[in-house]
Amino acid sequence: MDQSYKPGYVDPILAAGDEPASNASRNTYFGDILEARMSRRTLLRGSLAAAVAAAMTTSLPFGRALAAGNGAPSPSIGFQAIPVGTGDNVVVPEGYRVQTFIPWGTPISGNMPAASPEASGDDQAHQVGSHHDGMHFFPLESSSRDGLLVLNHEYVEPRFLHAAASGLALDSEGFPQREDGSRDADQVRKELNAHGVSVVRVRQGGDGQWRVVEDGHNRRITGLTPMRLAGPVAGTEHVMTKYSPDGSMTRGTLNNCANGVTPWNTYLASEENWAGYFANKDAEIDRRQARYGITTRDEGRYQWHKAEGGADEFLRFDATSRGASPREDYRNEPHTFGYMTEIDPHDPDSTPVKRTHLGRFAHEGVIFAPAVEGQPVVCYSGDDARFEYIYKFVSARPYQAASADGSLLDEGTLYAARFNDDGSGEWLALAPGQNGLTPENGFADLADILVNARSAADHVGATKMDRPEWGAVDPATGQVYFTLTNNTRRSEEQVDAANPRAENHFGHIIRWQETGTHAADQFQWDIFLLAGDQESGRDLSGEPLDQDAILASPDGLWIDPDRRVWIQTDISESVVNQGDHEVFGNNQMLVANPENGELKRFLTGPIGQEITGIAMTPDQRTLFVNVQHPGATTSAEAFAAGELTSQWPDGGNAIPRSATLVISREDGGIIGA
């Protein structure tokens, strides 16, 4: 996810949505595998696009047979595609309507404080958070008109969060200026409470409009909420802190990007770019932090550790060692982040739980394979950083619907993927004693492997990928899809006639079929979509993308019950509508047919935003989609002059706010059909 947070400034750590390049392993790079695979089949004819196009139309293990869907019914795409958009509005196809819903600041719980830019830090704990992202609709009593909408709030932009209330000039990073270099404690509290997750009861009225219901289910889970640690890392020395000397608890979840929904109907919020929040002034940083991008520094993303008063709830974002024992300071605080956080939306009194056996890295989200009675639970997750990996977890115990709960995620095996150049693939176990993960090689036990999941994947030889983002599983065929959004750091030295996109600006989507059940350790893979313009993009059939289908930086991904593949884009605010990206316009959402590659643009969003998060009611007649960080393209100079690139959704002179879109058909039909 795009994470530029300084106005008019391309953050070298987070501007492209990932952490600093910290993978120094010599593991194979996915582009090299793809090139080798194409070369072996003499398919390179002057460009990577041509090579992939040829591969897509072969009868390789994943080719035509899988493209045909194994006899699964083909979904229809019944709307007329819309053009690219550059306006400060949301556009959907003819015959559809959009309601803007629950923007940042909407009151949902507690004393229901009115939405206001002057809201305090405590008020924000009862209001919808900022920067909406992954999302799911949990129906109440199987209703498609009444349910719990649960959504992530990835990060904040301080200049929008505080400008109206502070009355102070802002520095270059968007923080109100303070002579002593400290941060205002209430503003820090507001930023922490604008992170996390919102659980909101929503209901559709007789007029077709959706509204927030004041209800006991409504709650905010924020960067300050107490949370339990579970799984092999819990209770180990890795996570012992001054706050939780026994390593059983932590506070808050941060940078929640995509999500997941368990077979037992709970919600999982990812923790993606959490590492940037931490300072650490120690001269030496061990791999538990260095491999995730934490370096020796006195700066954190928002300088929360510099809040006036020095309260522990803020000071914990400084991981500098201050005593003989980790129980005396917060040196281990970063080790309590980087997990999937389980939330039970149906129990407002429940404590969120971080499931450590799913691995510690920059989780984009998690996607579950369909649960089968008596078989293991299987889920997949991507590590959204350049040259990082795709993971799979297989539970030790079988799924039993009558008794299943989150403890199934505490025992099992975590794997990392290796993609071979012949179209085969294998899952490499990240477990003690397997694939060289031994004390002699620096991996003491299972907890050590999981806390250092990236280092373990390095060691076993997993394949470096181009920013693995969202995943999805085809409900009929079981095929697994993952977006690889881009990777511009591939060196110029690798560019040649056979591989012209060494700097992968546009990204692609891969998919694979497990050999047998989803718990298998082998699979077959191929390319589903090569993103790009009409010259460089290719669909499933290997044909160039037409103007109704061009896209860049595929990110959000979801497959609906009828097998339509919904693709959301996240072109970085540093390049959107500029240079090679100008042709794509604002970020958008498209729909693809998994069998024939038909691809149509369904939605375009306002200026400076990312389209992300998607959920649907059981009857498939209401679609929820999120618009994140509108107006983020506003430069520091323009902001200082009171000029914004976007005032969406309120218009006028309003500060832009992230919000949810509620989309329906005017005739009441199924979305997308």
Side-chain angles (χ1 to χ4, degrees), residues 555-597:
D555 189 331
L557 189 69
W558 180 65
I559 300 177
D560 70 26
D562 293 332
R563 303 184 60 228
R564 283 174 284 270
V565 181
W566 296 78
I567 304 165
Q568 301 172 319
T569 72
D570 181 20
I571 303 171
S572 170
E573 60 215 51
S574 63
V575 298
V576 67
N577 281 309
Q578 302 176 43
D580 293 341
H581 288 83
E582 183 177 6
V583 65
F584 304 108
N586 298 342
N587 279 303
Q588 58 184 284
M589 183 167 70
L590 307 94
V591 184
N593 185 318
E595 296 182 24
N596 60 22

Side-chain angles (χ1 to χ4, degrees), residues 326-337:
R327 295 179 176 88
E328 299 175 18
D329 54 36
Y330 291 103
R331 71 186 71 174
N332 286 337
E333 186 76 9
H335 313 157
T336 69
F337 289 87

Side-chain angles (χ1 to χ4, degrees), residues 23 38 95 103 135 138 144 169 215 256 266 304 330 341 397 464 657:
N23 189 349
M38 300 304 105
M135 172 172 54
F138 292 86
S144 289
D215 182 83
N256 304 110
T266 60
W304 287 339
Y330 291 103
T341 301
R397 291 185 286 120
K464 297 180 181 179
R657 298 194 287 168

